[in-house]
Amino acid sequence: AADGRTNWDDLAAPQDAQAGSGWTFAPQPRAVRLDNVAVRYDDAATGKVLSVTGARLRTGLGQPFDFAASFEAMGLVPDGRLQCHLQGRASFDPGSGRLGLHGVRVETGLLIDAPLVPGGAVPARVVSRLTLDYDAAAAALTLSDIDARTDGARLTGTAGISDLPGAPRLAGKLTLDADLDGGWRAILNLSKPGSPESLVATSDQPSAAESAPAESPHTPDTALSAPLSKRLVADLALAVDKDGLHLTDLAVRLPRGTARGAARLVLGDRPALSGQFTAEDVDFAALGLGGGSGWPVPGPWIFGLDLDVRTVFSHCAVGGLALSEAAATLRGAPGLVRLG
């Protein structure tokens, strides 16, 4: 219509039980079956393309009703291919048009064909399982029993998303368990290309993994076979909103030593990272988190940010230096960093 309304606006609008003459329509999902549905969306303004293929849906009868769904998608994640399976219960309120979800089991497999950070290995694969509940009245999504895995690392915990859909805010408590020799190091460009522990092939030896198909969400767990003496375990609490990420608490247990910290990453045209970090009895060179330099720098990409990070070291080894007690502040703008 000229005013921007569509037929669906009339069908989905809440119905007034006190209205006079005329017909009303209140859709009730009953034994719905959809098979092999494909949808493609081209955004002419941004050039982005979203496609969903092989979509399937089955629903039961009554309220609430059981359902199962699956699909494959491209474009939901930049340079990513997503496979998703869902099964659980849903309820539909025809008066408000709200759909609630209850105890929905979600299993996904994600294959990303582009580096997550400059120089990172490709492809990156992530498989995950979680339980999802959505309270439509409160506009709140709850994620429980999170279990996400990539090569040599596992993330577990819970999270919640509020203020949907207009200004979503996420808060979560998660635990990361990582093999310090795992393939995630190369994905984050923490290993030198061509080194034995690297997944990045040398220029004359293309990686066969680049053309490998996406893993099934049911891939057996082989991520945590490393002994505790070669693992990093981190408990973190975080919040995410439209402005960026706030790591409110980080506690890390290492094969030798511990670390704690908090940080704020602000996104935008000029990203900025601020925070504080303390470490005790840690040999950073032994961790190899600086690409072999011995310095606790996660990668060259960090120097593209505005930085203001305060650090405190107690009985640590940093860059080949033994520090009994030391404190420093890392400040800088993209391309220029000062340590004082």
Side-chain angles (χ1 to χ4, degrees), residues 101 105 184-185 218 230 239 249:
L101 301 174
R105 189 67 167 172
W184 60 271
R185 294 168 52 88
H218 306 284
K230 296 292 293 181
D249 185 47

Side-chain angles (χ1 to χ4, degrees), residues 224-238:
L224 303 177
S225 58
L228 287 174
S229 61
K230 296 292 293 181
R231 280 169 43 192
L232 172 155
V233 180
D235 297 314
L236 56 150
L238 56 84

Side-chain angles (χ1 to χ4, degrees), residues 40 87 96 122 128 155 235 247 298 328:
R40 178 184 172 95
Q87 185 169 357
S96 63
V122 293
S128 68
L155 187 70
D235 297 314
L247 184 63

Side-chain angles (χ1 to χ4, degrees), residues 182-208:
W184 60 271
R185 294 168 52 88
I187 293 172
L188 297 180
N189 194 21
L190 298 180
S191 300
K192 295 180 180 179
S195 64
E197 73 274 17
S198 176
L199 295 182
V200 183
T202 55
S203 58
D204 58 342
Q205 294 178 336
S207 172

Side-chain angles (χ1 to χ4, degrees), residues 245-302:
L245 182 149
H246 187 195
L247 184 63
T248 56
D249 185 47
L250 171 68
V252 183
R253 302 184 298 280
L254 298 161
R256 174 190 164 190
T258 60
R260 296 195 70 95
R264 176 75 177 178
L265 175 63
V266 177
L267 304 176
D269 295 334
R270 188 163 179 170
L273 176 65
S274 61
Q276 52 275 344
F277 175 83
T278 63
E280 184 175 357
D281 296 321
V282 178
D283 183 351
F284 287 98
L287 299 178
L289 296 182
S293 67
W295 291 87
V297 176
W301 51 269
I302 196 173

Side-chain angles (χ1 to χ4, degrees), residues 50-98:
L50 170 64
S51 64
V52 175
T53 59
R56 293 174 172 81
L57 174 65
R58 302 282 190 277
T59 74
L61 304 174
Q63 288 285 355
F65 55 91
D66 296 325
F67 78 96
S70 63
F71 64 89
E72 296 183 6
M74 303 257 317
L76 285 176
V77 176
D79 299 299
R81 290 177 278 169
L82 176 69
Q83 185 183 84
C84 184
H85 303 266
L86 307 93
Q87 185 169 357
R89 308 198 83 193
S91 57
F92 180 75
D93 181 355
S96 63
R98 292 171 174 168

